[in-house]
Amino acid sequence: MDFKLTEEHLMIQKAARDFAQTELLPGVIERDEKQIFPTEHIKKMGELGFLGMMVDPKYGGSGLDTISYVLAMEEISKIDASASVVMSVNNSLVCWGLQTFGTEEQKQKYLTRLATGEIIGAFCLSEPEAGSDATSQKTTAIDKGDHYLLNGTKNWITNGGTADVYLVIAQTDIDKKHRGINALIVEKGMPGFEIGAKEQKLGIRGSDTHSLMFTDVKVPKENRIGEDGFGFKFAMKTLSGGRIGIASQALGIASGAYELAKKYSKERKAFGTEICNHQAIAFKLADMAVQIEAARHLCLKAAWDKDNGHNYDLSGAMAKLHASQTAMDVTVEAVQVHGGNGYVKEYHVERLMRDAKITQIYEGTSEIQKIVISRSILAE
Ligand code: CAA
């Protein structure tokens, strides 16, 4: 077993770290406060190859492995989790889904532009009444011969307003339950497709979350991904990889908060010495370091499983469950280490604490990860 990262991995990690420090850090507080989408930063991330990291270079991607993706996600998320969720959805849910299950025409038409960041994508599964219970899709895609007629509403869609391409999951044949669901590629501007108001959120406020409304939208048959009825499996398989991305985001939020807390504890004095010299603080840092290291190992193990052709449903769910809990625990403690300053925006940790919470909710709540994990271990 070799825990050493390759030269290439270290280069990618450094490139992501440098980008986050020099480009994302300035302005991150204002973007959070005013809910400003990081348009220019996302464009630059595309130019640097961070938006199609695992896509084959023949479709405009970087052709890298999932380990590289985890490393880059951690570094970007340390500084700006709003930028990293855009990156995560575009890489894991949209590009990976199209590359793995799309037709050659779909790849030429959409993937080539998504992988370079020329356009970005959104993944549309959640509905007002179908969040965790994803098989209960109410959005319908009725087969009309050469096209599907799409009707319904999707909720909490990341990149909802800024995307150009939307992968929409919808029910075609209710009698077939989850085997009657399809995944369709919907383009912004298709008649009958409306974007709802932007959500006002607790965290990841720079990202763009909307509900979407579809009224008699005609989606050509060639925009279906996979065979008729493959949509639910498409969503589940794609989300399994997505969970590695969100686990890495949670890891980055935790390690970002930990690094700030450690630095602060070496500068701030109380009772005649730097606060890191008090065990009350030093032990908090020790607990954070252990939790983060465990989360990092779980993320890299899930990525390694994916890169080596092993099943990663279980390892991805474990990584997400643990890393998101770590993000919550560590950010709360990081605020505590900072004392009163932790409650103030300029110290960054209050934002990281707010950002952490969503990692326990999207791409499957912690309870959903426990369903996936328990079913898997009990089937052994
Ligand atoms: N890969 C392939 N197929 C899978 C699968 C996987 N990982 N998991 C399940 N399936 C298949 C099953 O084999 C089954 O198919 P068959 O009957 O043909 O064998 C089918 O899917 C249904 O599976 P289940 O019976 O296990 O379904 P269930 O109703 O019990 O639900 C669940 C399973 C794990 C709870 C699932 O509903 C789930 O993951 N829910 C959470 C949904 C979610 O993560 N939503 C996030 C929205 S996207 C998002 O957040 C993006 C963003 O904006 C950041």
Side-chain angles (χ1 to χ4, degrees):
M1 196 180 290
D2 188 357
F3 285 99
K4 229 167 123 235
L5 295 172
T6 64
E7 283 301 316
E8 189 184 44
H9 287 144
L10 291 171
M11 265 172 53
I12 290 153
Q13 187 180 47
K14 182 172 180 318
R17 186 177 298 155
D18 291 348
F19 173 76
Q21 284 290 341
T22 56
E23 306 274 344
L24 289 171
L25 185 57
V28 68
I29 293 173
E30 191 190 3
R31 291 195 300 276
D32 168 72
E33 199 174 328
K34 300 184 180 158
Q35 295 220 114
I36 300 169
F37 185 82
T39 309
E40 287 308 312
H41 306 84
I42 296 299
K43 197 164 158 259
K44 200 143 194 195
M45 282 165 76
E47 287 161 10
L48 290 169
F50 290 130
L51 295 185
M53 290 191 73
M54 295 162 289
V55 174
D56 192 320
K58 76 176 177 191
Y59 298 116
S62 304
L64 295 167
D65 58 10
T66 316
I67 292 195
S68 306
Y69 173 52
V70 168
L71 297 172
M73 275 296 295
E74 180 181 352
E75 294 304 323
I76 303 283
S77 306
K78 278 182 188 176
I79 304 295
D80 189 348
S82 296
S84 76
V85 71
V86 180
M87 174 176 164
S88 179
V89 167
N90 204 67
N91 273 285
S92 320
L93 300 185
V94 181
C95 287
W96 187 85
L98 277 173
Q99 169 156 278
T100 311
F101 301 110
T103 62
E104 188 55 32
E105 291 70 33
Q106 291 168 350
K107 289 179 200 177
Q108 293 296 346
K109 189 168 177 192
Y110 301 109
L111 183 58
T112 47
R113 290 187 295 147
L114 287 160
T116 56
E118 183 190 329
I119 55 172
I120 58 169
F123 181 84
C124 315
L125 173 67
S126 304
E127 298 187 355
E129 290 172 65
S132 293
D133 181 8
T135 54
S136 296
Q137 295 289 303
K138 297 279 188 293
T139 297
T140 52
I142 303 305
D143 190 337
K144 295 284 181 185
D146 65 341
H147 67 272
Y148 288 98
L149 206 56
L150 186 66
N151 278 286
T153 302
K154 294 288 174 184
N155 262 27
W156 311 295
I157 304 303
T158 303
N159 302 341
T162 41
D164 287 281
V165 170
Y166 299 76
L167 308 188
V168 180
I169 312 298
Q171 188 82 49
T172 294
D173 187 339
I174 190 86
D175 294 336
K176 291 189 183 160
K177 299 186 175 152
H178 65 266
R179 295 187 185 130
I181 289 175
N182 278 309
L184 305 178
I185 305 170
V186 177
E187 292 179 30
K188 182 180 256 162
M190 280 183 167
F193 174 18
E194 269 181 84
I195 296 165
K198 186 169 172 166
E199 301 290 356
Q200 303 295 312
K201 299 180 306 225
L202 172 74
I204 54 160
R205 287 169 53 82
S207 73
D208 178 40
T209 309
H210 291 256
S211 52
L212 307 175
M213 282 81 73
F214 305 99
T215 311
D216 289 340
V217 180
K218 281 185 177 179
V219 184
K221 268 273 171 73
E222 64 261 25
N223 282 23
R224 188 184 71 213
I225 303 173
E227 294 297 305
D228 184 28
F230 179 66
F232 192 73
K233 289 206 174 165
F234 167 81
M236 289 299 107
K237 203 65 231 164
T238 304
L239 275 169
S240 283
R243 286 166 186 161
I244 303 175
I246 296 304
S248 314
Q249 181 189 47
L251 167 66
I253 292 171
S255 53
Y258 162 74
E259 285 172 15
L260 289 168
K262 189 165 78 170
K263 182 166 177 287
Y264 184 83
S265 76
K266 289 182 175 182
E267 292 164 1
R268 172 81 177 176
K269 287 190 177 159
F271 304 104
T273 182
E274 287 77 16
I275 59 171
C276 63
N277 295 324
H278 298 297
Q279 278 192 342
I281 299 299
F283 283 10
K284 280 189 197 303
L285 294 169
D287 285 338
M288 290 182 197
V290 174
Q291 254 188 300
I292 290 169
E293 192 62 5
R296 189 173 289 119
H297 283 297
L298 285 169
C299 288
L300 291 171
K301 167 63 167 56
W304 182 88
D305 279 342
K306 184 161 171 284
D307 289 336
N308 287 281
H310 302 300
N311 189 305
Y312 50 91
D313 298 339
L314 174 63
S315 52
M318 283 184 169
K320 183 174 182 293
L321 179 67
H322 180 76
S324 59
Q325 186 62 53
T326 298
M328 274 319 298
D329 294 349
V330 168
T331 54
V332 168
E333 286 296 65
V335 170
Q336 194 69 19
V337 169
H338 281 76
N341 283 329
Y343 216 62
V344 173
K345 286 193 185 299
E346 69 187 272
Y347 287 84
H348 298 282
V349 284
E350 64 82 32
R351 185 186 71 256
L352 292 166
M353 184 178 81
R354 287 185 285 106
D355 288 347
K357 187 61 203 169
I358 193 62
T359 66
Q360 293 188 306
I361 298 172
Y362 58 23
E363 298 198 21
T365 60
S366 297
E367 292 72 21
I368 290 293
Q369 308 315 314
K370 289 182 193 180
I371 292 178
V372 174
I373 294 165
S374 58
R375 282 183 184 175
S376 177
I377 57 175
L378 291 169
E380 280 167 3

